[in-house]
């Protein structure tokens, strides 16, 4: 593990002097105390649960939830140091139930001697339900002080019993100002570059943009750019004063890195958040915002079939009969994805997004099926009227099935007065057209159709 917030060596919980000068810049600049943590002020205020834990005055298992590079593992190591116990680290990528139980058994023996064990689990969302269940008793009885880190919303990825036994703390992405402070500190701090380079404002701006709120990514990019200018200065053919401090400018940063990595995890919270924002932007008819979120998904390598599925669902969910062509456009985009593939299919996805975002909106389809299902689930499922029952079998007529059915096409208008729903649902209106888009035309038509069809039942009553 070679990142800014990776777990320190248990034998050397302080990550300061033990880190060699050859270690990556992100590792060397790992915060060693509360005062060095940048950002997360909402969690580190005076008297806050996290501050009390890190100061050693609290004892609770913690789930640290947030994007990469925001300080989850650093805080875990600070809590471990403050607890004064033994630090054990497991990665959900490699540990199984056997390894979890082995650590718990060791922790149980230590507890007899009055020694607390802090168990840090990285990527806890990758643990199976069985693996998470194996932690419950140990957490409940404080055999271990669990500090778990996850990039996913624990409400979706952590079992409820473990959630209820832990303090869930959400870390936020670092702001641009936070990232800028991380970078400036790394440039001047002796643990970092120690003033060996200067960085222009334009270079800082680009490094901040590249980071996407991730301190580890920012420092990795800075180190790469500093290496570029250092290598240029060591070139015997280089021009300029050899004693002058080399400067990292925008061109150096661009030479070191290709482009800003999009903050998006297809298996994590960003997946759900960006998808939600994409659909809500379409629903809100903000075509530009919808295109922004579509671009983020495409740039991050989201499965285009997933995007197409969301568009097809949205076409019926939020547009429906206000623009019947919307569903056809979404289905056509899905076919392009299947038949052509990326990158060309991004044009069809874009076309569908624009169509849906600019289309008139109606929740009529959702409301109609929702109301109908509610009645069915409430037990309103009376007998099918005899004249509508299947009559394609011997003896059907004798049982009254199909008797009296009127064939609509025999009428010049194609509509005849006739009862279709069960008796208890006669006169119930499930579909409520809006006056948006095509539903402005279909609404009066539905009213006329209901008026004609229901004459039969109104006369009978």
């Amino acid at each position: 593990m070679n990142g800014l917030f990776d777990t320190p060596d248990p034998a050397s919980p302080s990550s300061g002097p033990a880190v060699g000068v050859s270690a990556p810049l992100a590792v060397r600049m790992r915060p060693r105390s509360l005062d060095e943590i940048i950002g997360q002020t909402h969690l580190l205020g005076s008297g806050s649960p996290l501050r009390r834990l890190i100061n050693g005055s609290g004892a609770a298992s913690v789930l640290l939830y947030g994007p990469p590079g925001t300080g989850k593992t650093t805080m875990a190591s600070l809590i471990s140091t403050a607890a004064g116990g033994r630090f054990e680290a497991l990665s959900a990528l490699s540990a199984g139930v056997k390894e979890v139980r082995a650590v718990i058994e060791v922790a149980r023996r230590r507890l007899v001697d009055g020694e607390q064990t802090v168990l840090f689990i990285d990527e806890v969302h990758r643990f199976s339900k069985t693996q998470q269940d194996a932690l419950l008793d140990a957490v409940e009885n404080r055999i271990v002080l669990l500090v778990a880190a996850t990039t996913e919303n624990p409400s979706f990825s952590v079992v409820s019993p473990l959630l209820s036994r832990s303090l869930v703390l959400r870390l936020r992405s670092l702001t641009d100002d936070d990232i800028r402070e991380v970078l400036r500190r790394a440039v001047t701090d002796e643990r970092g570059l120690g003033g060996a380079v200067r960085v222009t404002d334009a270079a800082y701006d680009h490094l901040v943009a590249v980071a996407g709120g991730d301190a580890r990514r920012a420092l990795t990019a800075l180190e790469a750019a500093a290496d570029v200018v250092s290598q240029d200065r060591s070139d015997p053919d280089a021009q300029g004063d050899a004693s002058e401090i080399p400067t990292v400018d925008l061109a150096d940063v661009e030479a070191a890195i290709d482009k800003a990595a999009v903050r998006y995890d297809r298996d994590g919270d960003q997946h759900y958040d960006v998808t939600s924002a994409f659909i809500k932007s379409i629903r809100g008819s903000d075509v530009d915002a919808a295109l922004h979120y579509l671009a983020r998904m495409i740039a991050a390598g989201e499965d285009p079939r997933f995007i197409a599925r969301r568009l097809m669902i949205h076409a019926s969910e939020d547009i429906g009969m206000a623009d019947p062509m919307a569903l056809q456009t979404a289905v056509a985009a899905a076919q392009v994805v299947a038949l052509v593939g990326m990158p060309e299919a991004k044009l069809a996805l874009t076309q569908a997004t624009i169509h849906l975002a600019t289309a008139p909106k109606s929740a009529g389809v959702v409301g109609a099926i929702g109301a109908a299902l509610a009645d069915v689930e409430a037990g309103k499922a009376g007998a099918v009227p005899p004249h509508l029952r299947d009559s394609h079998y011997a003896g059907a007529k004798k049982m009254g099935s199909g008797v009296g059915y009127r064939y609509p096409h025999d009428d010049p208008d194609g509509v005849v007065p006739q009862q279709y729903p069960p008796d208890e649902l006669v006169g119930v209106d499930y579909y409520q057209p809006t006056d948006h888009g095509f539903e402005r035309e279909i609404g009066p038509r539905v009213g006329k159709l209901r008026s004609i069809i229901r004459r039969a039942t109104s006369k009978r009553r």
Side-chain angles (χ1 to χ4, degrees):
M1 300 172 70
N2 294 308
L4 174 59
F5 301 115
D6 295 332
T7 309
D9 187 332
S12 178
S14 174
S15 56
V19 178
V21 294
S22 61
L25 179 62
V27 176
R28 303 200 304 272
M29 291 305 299
R30 180 188 296 121
R32 297 172 297 183
S33 68
L34 272 178
D35 293 336
E36 291 189 1
I37 293 178
I38 295 175
Q40 313 309 333
T41 54
H42 65 295
L43 295 179
L44 296 171
S46 177
S48 67
L50 184 56
R51 180 171 282 276
R52 291 176 61 238
L53 279 171
I54 294 177
N55 285 336
S57 57
S61 290
V62 180
L63 285 172
L64 298 171
Y65 148 51
T70 52
K72 296 185 295 297
T73 314
T74 283
M75 291 181 183
S77 65
L78 292 176
I79 292 171
S80 172
T81 303
R86 297 294 294 273
F87 186 88
E88 298 285 350
L90 293 176
S91 172
L93 295 174
S94 56
V97 174
K98 179 181 178 181
E99 287 78 11
V100 170
R101 288 176 176 165
V103 170
I104 292 173
E105 184 56 36
V106 170
R108 198 186 305 273
R109 292 198 297 268
R110 289 174 182 158
L111 201 59
V112 174
D113 298 325
E115 189 175 26
Q116 178 73 65
T117 298
V118 176
L119 173 58
F120 174 70
I121 299 179
D122 198 19
E123 306 281 345
V124 70
H125 59 274
R126 298 186 184 275
F127 262 177
S128 67
K129 182 180 183 297
T130 302
Q131 289 169 307
Q132 292 184 33
D133 285 344
L135 294 165
L136 295 179
D137 181 68
V139 172
E140 175 78 20
N141 296 294
R142 291 193 176 172
I143 295 169
V144 297
L145 181 64
L146 175 66
V147 181
T150 175
T151 56
E152 290 196 12
N153 189 329
S155 298
F156 300 137
S157 56
V158 177
V159 295
S160 296
L162 189 56
L163 273 176
S164 66
R165 290 165 171 81
S166 305
L167 182 64
V168 179
L169 301 175
R170 179 170 186 174
L171 282 70
R172 298 171 182 166
S173 293
L174 299 185
T175 67
D176 287 353
D177 288 341
D178 292 336
I179 294 295
R180 198 177 302 274
E181 177 61 24
V182 167
L183 292 168
R184 292 188 187 281
R185 181 182 294 179
V187 170
T188 58
D189 196 294
E190 290 303 320
R191 283 184 294 148
L193 301 179
V197 298
R198 283 200 204 64
V199 180
T200 66
D201 290 341
Y204 273 126
D205 290 342
H206 193 58
L207 286 166
V208 169
V210 166
D214 185 330
R216 183 189 300 111
R217 184 178 295 144
L219 291 173
T220 300
L222 171 62
E223 185 174 31
D227 285 344
V228 169
V229 297
S230 297
Q231 290 171 6
D232 289 346
R233 184 53 56 92
S234 62
D235 186 346
D237 298 327
Q239 301 293 319
D241 185 353
S243 63
E244 184 181 344
I245 297 176
T247 298
V248 175
D249 59 22
L250 178 59
D252 298 315
V253 175
E254 292 175 335
I257 49 180
D258 290 329
K259 61 179 180 179
V262 177
R263 275 293 325 278
Y264 186 89
D265 175 6
R266 283 190 295 163
D267 298 318
D269 228 31
Q270 284 288 314
H271 166 86
Y272 297 105
D273 288 346
V274 173
T275 302
S276 175
F278 176 58
I279 293 303
K280 288 172 181 174
S281 297
I282 294 176
R283 180 181 298 138
S285 300
D286 190 330
V287 63
D288 304 295
L291 289 171
H292 165 75
Y293 292 116
L294 173 66
R296 283 175 67 166
M297 289 190 285
I298 291 173
E302 178 63 82
D303 186 342
R305 295 172 300 176
F306 169 79
I307 301 174
R309 287 195 296 270
R310 294 307 310 170
L311 289 169
M312 288 189 286
I313 294 168
H314 174 74
S316 293
E317 182 179 16
D318 290 304
I319 298 171
M321 292 304 295
D323 181 358
M325 290 298 295
L327 179 58
Q328 295 184 38
T329 299
V331 171
Q335 290 177 321
V336 173
V337 168
L339 297 175
V340 179
M342 297 294 274
E344 292 85 355
K346 70 174 180 285
L347 299 177
L349 293 172
T350 301
Q351 181 177 343
T353 297
I354 294 172
H355 185 150
L356 271 58
T358 56
K361 305 299 188 294
S362 170
V365 170
V366 175
I369 190 60
L373 283 171
D375 275 354
V376 171
E377 290 167 358
K380 297 180 181 180
V384 174
H387 59 281
L388 297 184
R389 295 173 190 170
D390 180 26
S391 60
H392 294 85
Y393 61 92
K397 297 292 184 183
K398 293 181 180 180
M399 299 176 65
S401 296
V403 176
Y405 172 66
R406 299 184 62 187
Y407 189 56
H409 294 297
D410 288 340
D411 187 270
D413 294 328
V415 185
V416 298
Q418 185 164 235
Q419 180 180 337
Y420 290 96
D423 289 343
E424 62 185 302
L425 294 176
V426 169
V428 175
D429 297 343
Y430 289 127
Y431 178 45
Q432 303 288 347
T434 69
D435 60 354
H436 303 159
F438 182 67
E439 283 192 319
R440 187 181 298 111
E441 298 179 31
I442 205 174
R445 185 188 310 169
V446 169
K448 291 178 182 178
L449 291 171
R450 285 171 175 161
S451 176
I452 295 171
I453 292 167
R454 293 172 182 175
R455 283 177 195 162
T457 53
S458 61
K459 287 180 181 179
R460 193 176 66 198
R461 292 179 178 178

